[in-house]
């Protein structure tokens, strides 16, 4: 499916000749206008309710540690930055920078691995002709649905025997070997939307498949690579399960796992710093989201990515 | 995935060269297989063999063994499966919890997603902002941060029990109540309705306007139009969201883990399947049992997906295929 062509980019204020859009004459009528206002009121209320947990989390991170659970107001009665100071000191003997650095290295590693391997595979599946393509392509699609649990234990055993448990390799190696098949699918869809005349012209000019890929296809694939990169980053940053399995000493902990330390401690006095660190962990995702929201939303719309 | 290709029938056709194009009459420069394709595919092939097929076969084998990571696996036949089915009440608890969770959260999440998509499906100022804002929880909700916030919001003294108490519904803290704890997890899933909503919105945009005009001419009101035009035209997207939602829900882990401090409590009420699998494998080091559970999970997902596709012929409407 030609991802970029089947779905018109939905610009926020793009006029659309649909019956729902009030024609100019009707817009002047008081009934239509008040319905428009009502619609905005309803949607804004919905947005506020839906985003309430995020506001609450931000607010809680500024409440004094003892008041997090007793001060139920959305605006902190006694706002303080002490939670952030405590959170910056870190937990389990390492400062928050260590965990932040680990999360960053892991997420960037996943970005590099996925962009490299999934672009190559996506190009081959989307464009090249080779023996066994149908079967391999079907297999690739099936692996999108495969629960990780069915490969996890043997992978863990092998990584353990190689002495790689408690390093980033068990998490990064699968990305380098294109096991996140969803991104291959994303690239395939994108490759198919590119006009074939481009690579045929390159072939006629005598360029081999590698030169064609590098000079003709790869530059055009940048949007798909970019979407892959952003989703790889956010998903790895937010990931918990595989990190819980493979990283088991605090020096290698990511922010997700550092937060787990708070889960294990049940004392409520650590709630303040816990929420402060939660916010720190959300900041990169939030920034990415604000910077690329349209790209992300359209990536989901066209590919059916599961957020 | 076949669902997406069926979403828009034009999808698969992109593969074939556009033979109708008169300017394309000279034969294609090269029609023979390109061996170099395997080089492009090399990372993927290595991954498929070493990280997917190999481990799948191995975990199937391990599911018939007793293995604790330290001594070598010993063959026990169907013992792991038999013990899970007949002697393991926690296994059945995890199946019950997971089925409840899947059956409640997936349909409700899709209903919310569709409802909000219908609300947003009109060209108004600020629509892009609203759409992004309502999608945001889908990106944030999978994180530990939000799960921690969720736990506080639903535990004793949290916002949700307080709010309910103020309207006369004294539920107490959800996370400490074996009857309610799983619904705190369900609520966290419902909150992430943004991804299916965005997919529904894309589907709604594909419905030809003239269908509504024709329906209106025939005297169909808004409600009738929804059931006779919108819903049938959306069924391919609905199938897609349903399949993805169910596969996703079967593997839910972070929410229940955080809300129950990794234990699945109170009283195993949030012990979702993957959490129990994790405990068996990586707390108790019963790798044989965990492998058996992994294969049962794969089987369950495969059966449910196959059933959905098999029944889809009856309820999924593909425009243009037959009228």
């Amino acid at each position: 499916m030609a991802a970029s062509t089947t779905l018109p980019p939905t610009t926020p204020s793009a006029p659309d000749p649909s019956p729902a859009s009030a024609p100019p004459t009707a817009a002047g009528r008081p009934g239509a206008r008040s319905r428009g206002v009502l619609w905005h009121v309803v949607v804004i209320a919905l947005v506020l309710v839906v985003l309430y947990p995020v506001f609450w989390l931000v607010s809680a991170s500024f409440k004094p540690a003892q008041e997090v659970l007793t001060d139920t107001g959305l605006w902190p009665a006694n706002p303080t930055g002490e939670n952030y100071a405590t959170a910056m000191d870190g937990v389990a003997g390492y400062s928050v920078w260590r965990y932040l650095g680990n999360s960053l290295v892991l997420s960037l590693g996943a970005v590099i691995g996925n962009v490299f391997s999934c672009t190559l595979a996506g190009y081959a599946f989307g464009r090249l002709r080779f023996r066994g393509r149908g079967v391999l392509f079907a297999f690739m699609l099936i692996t999108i649905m495969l629960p990780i649990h069915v490969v996890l234990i043997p992978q863990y055993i092998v990584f353990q025997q190689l002495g790689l448990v408690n390093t980033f390799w068990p998490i990064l190696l699968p990305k380098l070997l294109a096991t996140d098949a969803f991104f291959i699918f994303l690239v395939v869809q994108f490759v198919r939307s590119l006009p074939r005349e481009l690579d045929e012209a390159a072939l006629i000019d005598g360029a081999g498949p590698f030169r064609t890929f590098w000079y003709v296809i790869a530059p055009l694939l940048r949007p798909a690579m970019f979407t892959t990169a952003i989703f790889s980053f956010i998903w790895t940053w937010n990931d918990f399960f595989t990190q819980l399995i493979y990283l088991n000493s605090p020096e290698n902990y990511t922010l997700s796992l550092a937060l787990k330390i708070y889960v294990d401690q049940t004392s409520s006095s650590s709630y303040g710093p816990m929420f402060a660190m939660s916010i720190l962990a959300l900041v990169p995702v939030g920034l990415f989201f604000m910077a690329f929201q349209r790209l992300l939303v359209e990536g989901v719309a066209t590919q059916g990515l599961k957020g | 995935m076949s669902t997406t290709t069926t979403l828009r029938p034009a999808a698969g056709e992109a593969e074939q060269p556009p033979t109708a194009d008169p300017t394309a009459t000279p034969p294609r420069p090269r029609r023979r297989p390109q061996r170099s394709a395997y080089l492009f595919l090399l990372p993927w092939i290595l991954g498929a063999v070493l990280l997917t097929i190999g481990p799948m076969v191995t975990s199937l084998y391990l599911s018939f063994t007793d293995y604790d990571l330290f001594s070598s696996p010993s063959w026990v036949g169907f013992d792991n499966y038999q013990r899970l089915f007949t002697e393991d009440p926690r296994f059945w608890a995890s199946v019950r919890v997971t089925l409840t969770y899947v059956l409640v959260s997936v349909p409700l999440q899709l209903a919310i997603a569709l409802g909000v998509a219908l609300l947003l499906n009109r060209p108004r100022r600020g629509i892009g902002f609203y759409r992004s804002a309502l999608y945001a929880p889908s990106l944030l909700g999978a994180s530990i941060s939000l799960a921690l916030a969720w736990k506080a919001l639903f535990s004793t003294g949290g916002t949700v029990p307080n709010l309910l108490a103020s309207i006369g519904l004294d539920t107490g803290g959800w996370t400490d109540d074996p009857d309610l704890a799983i619904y705190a997890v369900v609520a966290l899933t419902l909150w992430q309705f943004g991804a299916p909503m965005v997919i529904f919105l894309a589907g709604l945009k594909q419905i030809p306007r003239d269908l509504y005009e024709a329906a209106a001419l025939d005297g169909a009101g808004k409600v009738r139009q929804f059931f006779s035009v919108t819903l049938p035209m959306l069924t391919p997207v609905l199938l897609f969201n349903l399949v993805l939602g169910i596969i996703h829900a079967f593997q839910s882990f972070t929410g229940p883990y955080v809300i129950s401090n990794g234990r699945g409590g109170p009283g195993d009420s949030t012990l979702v399947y993957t959490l129990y699998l994790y405990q068996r494998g990586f707390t108790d080091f019963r790798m044989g049992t965990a492998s058996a559970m992994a294969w049962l999970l794969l089987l369950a997902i495969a059966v449910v997906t196959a059933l959905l596709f098999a029944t889809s012929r009856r309820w999924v409407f593909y425009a243009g295929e037959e009228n």
Side-chain angles (χ1 to χ4, degrees), chain B residues 52-67:
Chain B
T52 305
I53 298 173
M56 278 180 75
V57 174
T58 312
S59 75
L60 184 61
Y61 162 73
L62 286 177
S63 75
F64 296 106
T65 66
D66 205 1
Y67 184 45

Side-chain angles (χ1 to χ4, degrees), chain A residues 92-133:
Chain A
Y94 291 93
S95 90
V96 76
W97 297 109
R98 176 100 199 179
Y99 305 127
L100 204 71
N102 285 340
S103 279
L104 206 59
V105 169
L106 197 64
S107 304
L108 289 178
V111 167
I112 294 168
N114 272 342
V115 169
F116 163 77
S117 64
C118 296
T119 309
L120 292 182
Y123 169 63
F125 277 127
R127 208 52 137 206
L128 302 179
R129 303 162 46 79
F130 53 91
R131 204 180 280 271
R133 186 176 91 159

